[in-house]
Amino acid sequence: MRAGCRHLGNAIVPCPAFRTSLTSWGSLNSVKVSVGFPRRAAIYLRISLDREMDGLAIERQREDCERLAEREGWTIVETYIDQSKSATDATKSRPGYDRMVADYEAGAFDAIVCWDLDRLTRQPRQMEDWVDAARFRGLLLKSVAGDVDLTNENGLLIAGIKIQVARAEVVRKSKRQSRAQKQRAAMGRAPKGMRPLGYATNGDVIEHEAAAVRAIYALFTKTENPESLRSLARALSGTDVIEGIDALPKHTHTVSVEREVARKLRAKEGNRPYEAREPKADGPWSPSTVLGILRNPRYAGMSTYTPKEFQKDGNRRRTWRAQILRDDAGEPIRGQWESIVDDETWWKVQEILDDKKRVTNTSGSTKRKRLGSGLYRCGLADPDTGQPCGKKVTGAPRGYTCPGHMVRSGPAIDDFVTDVISARLAEPDAVRQVPAAANNAETQAIDAAISAQRAKISRAQHDYDEEIIEGHDLKRVRDAAESSIQELEAQRLLQGRAGALAPVLGTDDPAKAFREASLHLRRQVIDALATVSLQPQPRGRKGFDPASVEIVWK
């Protein structure tokens, strides 16, 4: 950003130190207006929450603003709309507003019409930027609710008061809503908002979803071989089969479809126009969603309330039990809905999840456990394009998986790949297929970067064990670090494969050395020589089918 500049929304405007030059620019605009050029006006329309999303509230604003522009004799060059967008939180994006700011900086218009000043902004800082534009660039701002002259002291005072009043009302409204929510929870009534899996918005049980919730709790608390969060998520997604759980559409998708149906019905009953919206996409379930189900006290019939400080924290699961409302005797307040699991089961789950000895990686190692995890690729072809998926498969308890495409048993695949690679290494030209070694210093730098990423995973694992972070925080750190490690390993292979693979390729018997090498080194050899793609297990065929694994030499 240029020196002496600051932001107007997401655009850049000069600071007061540069106002002398801007005054001259504004004077030129004034001359254009004075000799008969009409004002070029932008209309800005906004509503904080349009529950019906039928556009009627916006259209009412539009009609009033267009009439005002017509009375002033202004030419409307563009209308900017932010529907169901709050102006209270400065961190939230308003696409229409940001586009208007950029267009103003480009000189597209020199006047703004809005329905009221708080429709334009509720942020004093943003209002100060428009004040500068009015004083030094000749901008005119008019509202249907009353003119606001930003070029004199009285206008500035009125604008400032209106903005502060609007912000105060937002704070008061937030307090009223919070108090009402806590009162509702204290009465044991179902909270408003997104319904949890298994319950309708009014608290009634949705039986087929409730059956899935009961199965999740039962399978997670099994004495022998309990299911993990990942395996339960795969079962819900339909990519793995676990007895007792039927696959379900992703919950956010289901709720968005329900809301769209309700919106269409309200429009029909109110004789209002209806414009269909795409529901949220379906897809695989996340382990973090399963964790949320296991942590939610509502399933045991306990009433909850989430204070504002927990919402801002962004990590509600860290304090699930702290959100349980209790009476004067310290007992949980019971909800006016049917519980899906009993108290004993719920608390047993919490003990399991809170156990410091419980880690997602039972060996404590951050290294891969399967030969082809993140190395083999999904070869399932798209029915429309015929192109293979091509994504790298991930390790699963029973082998490998590509969500939505396949789940394969691992040992037979690994044995087959090992045999094929060993046979290739036994051929005399195998070593010549690998690029020569690069600068050793570059390889050492990459090794150091890989070690730093692995240390980052270890620190996050320790913080998770100490309950400093939650599981989804650990997953976020681990996924980012492992992605970086994959890229760094690829760089290392490209820069110095021959040197890195010397313990195998530099021996008298590379095939034997490959079989006896570490998992990490065997993965490097495979990646240097071939691309391995997996197909789904053929239906009706028992045992391993070599044709389901494609190996293409590099």
Side-chain angles (χ1 to χ4, degrees), residues 480-524:
E482 288 185 345
S483 176
S484 297
I485 289 172
Q486 288 183 27
E487 294 178 3
L488 290 165
E489 286 180 340
Q491 292 179 29
R492 181 168 59 185
L493 288 174
L494 290 174
Q495 293 193 9
R497 272 184 172 145
L501 304 183
V504 171
L505 304 182
T507 63
D508 294 333
D509 189 349
K512 179 181 178 182
F514 168 74
R515 288 182 176 276
E516 297 174 351
S518 66
L519 176 66
H520 177 67
L521 186 53
R522 280 182 286 145
R523 286 171 50 84
Q524 287 185 289

Side-chain angles (χ1 to χ4, degrees), residues 316-462:
R316 294 178 60 197
R317 295 188 188 95
R318 180 179 298 163
T319 47
W320 266 122
R321 280 175 291 182
Q323 297 172 41
I324 299 173
L325 280 182
R326 299 178 181 273
D327 57 23
D328 294 339
E331 292 297 318
I333 294 176
R334 311 308 300 189
Q336 298 178 22
W337 59 83
E338 179 185 346
S339 60
I340 293 179
V341 299
D342 56 54
D343 283 16
E344 182 180 1
T345 299
W346 190 84
W347 286 107
K348 181 178 180 181
V349 166
Q350 307 320 301
E351 290 178 3
I352 295 173
L353 292 172
D354 293 341
D355 187 356
K356 292 185 178 182
K357 295 180 181 179
R358 179 183 176 270
V359 293
T360 55
N361 183 352
T362 54
S363 70
S365 172
T366 60
K367 295 182 179 180
R368 298 185 183 276
K369 304 300 184 298
R370 295 197 176 278
L371 183 64
S373 177
L375 179 61
Y376 301 163
R377 295 183 179 273
C378 174
L380 183 66
D382 184 284
D384 297 325
T385 65
Q387 296 297 318
C389 167
K391 292 182 180 179
K392 293 181 178 179
V393 299
T394 57
R398 299 173 179 83
Y400 302 108
T401 180
C402 179
H405 285 171
M406 71 176 72
V407 177
R408 295 294 308 272
S409 178
I413 294 174
D414 291 345
D415 290 343
F416 174 74
V417 171
T418 298
D419 290 341
V420 173
I421 296 296
S422 297
R424 181 72 180 91
L425 288 171
E427 297 176 6
D429 66 333
V431 176
R432 292 198 298 270
Q433 303 302 315
V434 183
N439 189 323
N440 189 50
E442 294 177 355
T443 303
Q444 290 178 351
I446 293 174
D447 288 340
I450 291 175
S451 297
Q453 293 296 326
R454 287 178 176 155
K456 187 179 295 185
I457 295 176
S458 297
R459 288 195 299 271
Q461 184 71 60
H462 176 270

Side-chain angles (χ1 to χ4, degrees), residues 24-38:
S24 301
W25 190 93
S27 298
L28 291 176
N29 257 9
S30 300
V31 171
K32 290 172 64 178
V33 174
S34 64
V35 296
F37 284 91

